[in-house]
Amino acid sequence: MRSVIGVLDSGVGGLTVLAALERALPGAAYVYLGDTARNPYGSESAARITAMAREGLHYLLGEGATVLVIACNTITFTALDVLARETDVPCIGMPSEIPALETARHVAIAATPATIATHVHREALARRCPHVRVTETAVEGLAAAIERGDRARAAALIAAAVQGWGDVDTVLWACTHYPLVADLWQAAAPHCRWIDPAAQVAQEVVRRTDGATEPGSVRLCFTDERAAGGLRATAYAENLWEVVAISEKRGVL
Ligand code: DGL
């Protein structure tokens, strides 16, 4: 069966993963949902993130998705285990094991508070490369600032986040929103190497679908018009998009 690829994020951040998917599987049918009405997810409880993500995935399945890509670290590490058990459709989340980090001396993990609280990246790296030092940095409010297209606020939060990184040489963007302000990160810590796991996710989708995807186009759906601010920073700024309602579409996946 050829796949229709559903992509879920709390807002515009997952568009960084969608862009990598399109590079790996050009011309495939994609339906993207960003829950802009309820963004950010990253300071919410695991129970609430799970409930919100369940509604988003249910919406994508209703729109014909046959593979679900969770283009959000926060959802992946707090809710994916539960949600994947509720459906037969393959669910592919963000990776915790990232080979590109293994050559570093000192890695900073930049992510939302919810993702940092799981320590998944630190533990995965410690298992494979115990000699790599890890600093975890929760950047409260950054995804929301990116979502609004507020670069001044994003720059201030990033400047505060890099304080105390010392000899960090490699940074993992463990929030899909963060590469949308790559230039601000690079200006704040110019000596660092920056790792965006989006291409790794795209390769996993190619592997799981055998590259057999339904031909089609990209459909962009958001739950609130707030998408407009953040969309400007993405590769999809000129695309048509629609506002959809998901919160009344309850039910088991
Ligand atoms: N894009 C999401 C991630 O990768 C989080 C943004 C949010 O806090 O909603 O973690």
Side-chain angles (χ1 to χ4, degrees):
M1 190 180 69
R2 295 203 200 185
S3 303
V4 174
I5 303 173
V7 183
L8 178 69
D9 182 44
S10 63
V12 298
L15 294 173
T16 57
V17 177
L18 180 60
L21 287 165
E22 280 199 276
R23 280 191 289 278
L25 292 165
Y30 296 97
V31 50
Y32 179 93
L33 179 68
D35 192 4
T36 39
R38 299 184 293 190
N39 181 281
Y41 281 18
S43 307
E44 300 284 351
S45 67
R48 180 152 163 78
I49 294 166
T50 305
M52 294 190 292
R54 180 181 286 115
E55 291 178 347
L57 293 181
H58 190 247
Y59 176 82
L60 290 171
L61 290 173
E63 296 305 302
T66 59
V67 176
L68 296 168
V69 179
I70 316 305
C72 176
N73 292 268
T74 302
I75 298 173
T76 297
F77 300 118
T78 56
L80 185 53
D81 279 354
V82 171
L83 296 173
R85 282 199 293 272
E86 297 175 3
T87 177
D88 294 335
V89 168
C91 292
I92 299 162
M94 301 303 293
S96 56
E97 287 191 1
I98 295 157
L101 300 179
E102 295 174 8
T103 54
R105 281 192 318 276
H106 185 175
V107 170
I109 313 287
T112 63
T115 296
I116 292 297
T118 67
H119 305 298
V120 283
H121 300 95
R122 188 184 73 191
E123 284 166 10
L125 199 53
R127 272 194 304 277
R128 290 170 64 99
C129 297
H131 58 278
V132 176
R133 215 177 129 203
V134 176
T135 295
E136 295 178 306
T137 305
V139 198
E140 174 94 56
L142 180 55
I146 294 168
E147 202 57 39
R148 294 191 303 272
D150 184 347
R151 281 177 55 86
R153 178 79 184 135
L157 290 168
I158 288 168
V162 306
Q163 293 294 317
W165 273 2
D167 63 355
V168 162
D169 55 276
T170 302
V171 184
L172 173 68
W173 284 316
C175 170
T176 55
H177 281 69
Y178 295 177
L180 293 174
V181 290
D183 60 324
L184 299 179
W185 286 105
Q186 282 152 355
H191 54 284
C192 289
R193 184 166 65 107
W194 305 88
I195 308 297
D196 177 356
Q200 194 180 322
V201 177
Q203 284 317 310
E204 179 64 10
V205 176
V206 171
R207 197 182 67 77
R208 297 275 289 273
T209 61
D210 288 329
T213 49
E214 197 63 50
S217 54
V218 176
R219 210 179 127 212
L220 296 183
C221 305
F222 297 97
T223 54
D224 187 282
E225 285 159 24
R226 242 169 286 188
L231 260 178
R232 278 199 297 275
T234 75
Y236 299 90
E238 308 302 323
N239 281 51
L240 290 176
W241 51 281
E242 55 196 290
V243 177
V244 299
I246 61 164
S247 50
E248 75 275 18
K249 294 198 176 196
R250 292 179 198 279
V252 176
L253 278 172

